[in-house]
Amino acid sequence: MHLSNHILFRRDRPTLASGVCIFVHSEIPCVKICDFEDPDVVSIWIKARPRILPKEVSMILFGSVYHPPSNCQDINQRLLQHIQENVELFLRDHPKGLVLVCGDFNPTSSRITELGARRMTGLTQIIKVPNQPS
């Protein structure tokens, strides 16, 4: 896939025809953080520093996650732990950083709740409605 004036960052699942990706406008300085990847979690992490940011924000961390519906409780915990660790590492280096994580968490089958995710990761869910198929 190609979007003009955008950089594609992707991480494919090794055995299936799916994965995660993030498109970033080519004028935004950014870098993929390979150290934030985990073989048990399908995710990709991008650190970006747009030229114009509110002064209370120093850097942005974008995370994209795919959590298959067939995952067991142990993998659910590993996913939340993975997000928590990455957020903590990022905010340690960028205390005024902004963190945005999006993706498909399959909450119905995985039974990951908003409260449980917030307790574990410190993040707050903003979008509260499921995606509607087109």
Side-chain angles (χ1 to χ4, degrees):
M1 175 176 262
H2 178 75
L3 291 175
S4 62
N5 300 324
H6 287 77
I7 302 166
L8 169 62
F9 295 94
R10 61 188 281 176
R11 181 164 178 226
D12 297 322
R13 294 174 67 192
T15 57
L16 301 171
S18 65
V20 291
C21 72
I22 296 175
F23 283 95
V24 181
H25 195 278
S26 58
E27 292 182 7
I28 298 175
C30 60
V31 63
K32 180 179 175 184
I33 308 173
C34 295
D35 290 346
F36 280 19
E37 293 181 2
D38 181 314
D40 295 328
V41 178
V42 182
S43 68
I44 189 169
W45 300 85
I46 306 296
K47 183 168 60 170
R49 177 65 174 101
R51 287 172 178 67
I52 299 174
L53 276 175
K55 62 180 164 182
E56 52 278 338
V57 177
S58 62
M59 185 79 65
I60 301 174
L61 176 66
F62 294 101
S64 180
V65 175
Y66 175 67
H67 191 61
S70 60
N71 280 342
C72 64
Q73 186 61 31
D74 288 345
I75 299 297
N76 291 349
Q77 286 302 109
R78 181 63 203 124
L79 167 70
L80 296 175
Q81 184 179 36
H82 170 71
I83 293 170
Q84 175 193 26
E85 290 167 357
N86 288 345
V87 168
E88 287 176 358
L89 283 170
F90 174 76
L91 292 175
R92 184 188 66 205
D93 292 340
H94 306 283
K96 292 184 174 187
L98 174 66
V99 177
L100 302 166
V101 179
C102 62
D104 187 351
F105 291 82
N106 283 302
T108 303
S109 57
S110 67
R111 292 186 167 66
I112 292 176
T113 65
E114 178 184 351
L115 180 59
R118 185 173 355 136
R119 283 184 180 157
M120 185 84 172
T121 66
L123 299 176
T124 300
Q125 182 176 345
I126 296 172
I127 299 174
K128 308 245 181 191
V129 295
N131 287 342
Q132 299 299 318
S134 2

